[in-house]
């Protein structure tokens, strides 16, 4: 038989008592209980989720740029046939969408882990957001949707480092086994 310690313990107390940092049970609540997730962490999760959805929408909007991409390929290399140019444009668009979806799935994974109290996910999302900001600032000007996605991610980072969020991550660490 498997060890039953991995399963939730039921029934739980109907009134666990205070769970805040000022309560007698500390920030994690009763001994061994998961800490209460503050609204700032939920807000960070939703901000990162919004950034992910906006990025996916941006990736889908690229599909409408197929003709412009084919024209750019035509201008850069006149030795290709029309069929090769169409194939190159299609391959480039499919690759861009696949990469965007994979990045979005990773971003979503990190956001879910952040919501679960994993500090490493908060750090990874902070680094990814910093890279996104640097990319927008160093680039030749991004689209408005890129700036919107970046803004949502920055809001998520700020919310994830507010004192309530930091207390949650600190309290969640000892609870994990």
């Amino acid at each position: 038989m498997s060890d039953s310690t991995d399963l939730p313990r039921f029934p739980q107390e109907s009134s666990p008592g205070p769970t805040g940092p000022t309560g007698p049970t500390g920030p994690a609540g009763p001994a061994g209980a998961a800490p209460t997730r503050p609204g700032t962490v939920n807000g960070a999760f939703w901000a990162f989720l919004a950034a992910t959805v906006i990025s996916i929408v941006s990736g889908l909007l690229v599909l409408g740029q197929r003709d412009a991409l084919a024209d750019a390929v035509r201008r850069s290399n006149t030795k290709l046939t029309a069929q090769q140019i169409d194939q190159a444009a299609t391959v480039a668009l499919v690759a861009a969408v696949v990469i965007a979806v994979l990045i979005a799935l990773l971003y979503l994974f990190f956001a879910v882990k952040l919501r679960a109290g994993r500090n490493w996910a908060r750090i990874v999302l902070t680094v990814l957001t910093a890279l996104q900001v640097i990319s927008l600032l160093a680039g030749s000007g991004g689209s408005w949707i890129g700036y919107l996605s970046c803004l949502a991610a920055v809001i998520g980072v700020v919310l994830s480092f507010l004192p309530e969020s930091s207390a949650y991550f600190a309290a969640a660490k000892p609870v994990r086994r």
Side-chain angles (χ1 to χ4, degrees):
M1 292 214 103
S2 67
D3 187 16
S4 65
T5 59
D6 294 339
L7 300 174
R9 295 185 177 112
F10 294 103
Q12 295 181 355
E13 297 179 26
S14 59
S15 176
T19 59
T22 59
T25 57
T36 303
R37 186 181 318 116
T40 55
V41 172
N42 284 330
F45 169 77
W46 287 108
F48 286 121
L49 185 65
T52 303
V53 169
I54 293 167
S55 294
I56 289 173
V57 168
S58 177
L60 293 176
L61 290 176
V62 168
L63 292 175
Q65 303 295 323
R66 187 177 184 289
D67 292 336
L69 182 60
D71 289 340
V73 172
R74 263 188 217 94
R75 284 189 301 259
S76 69
N77 189 347
T78 58
K79 296 178 183 180
L80 295 177
T81 66
Q83 182 181 7
Q84 290 172 327
I85 291 172
D86 287 341
Q87 287 175 344
T90 301
V91 167
L93 287 177
V94 168
V97 169
V98 167
I99 290 170
V101 167
L102 289 175
I103 291 172
L105 288 174
L106 279 172
Y107 216 72
L108 182 61
F109 171 75
F110 295 136
V112 168
K113 291 299 182 180
L114 171 120
R115 191 174 191 206
R118 306 300 195 266
N119 191 52
W120 62 264
R122 176 171 68 159
I123 293 167
V124 169
L125 286 167
T126 301
V127 170
L128 291 175
T129 301
L131 291 173
Q132 188 177 6
V133 168
I134 291 168
S135 173
L136 279 175
L137 294 177
S140 60
S143 67
W144 64 271
I145 201 160
Y147 285 108
L148 187 61
S149 172
C150 187
L151 176 64
V154 167
I155 290 169
V157 168
V158 169
L159 288 173
S160 71
F161 279 95
L162 289 176
E164 299 87 2
S165 298
S166 294
Y168 171 70
F169 288 108
K173 187 173 186 176
V175 173
R176 283 184 249 116
R177 296 168 198 199

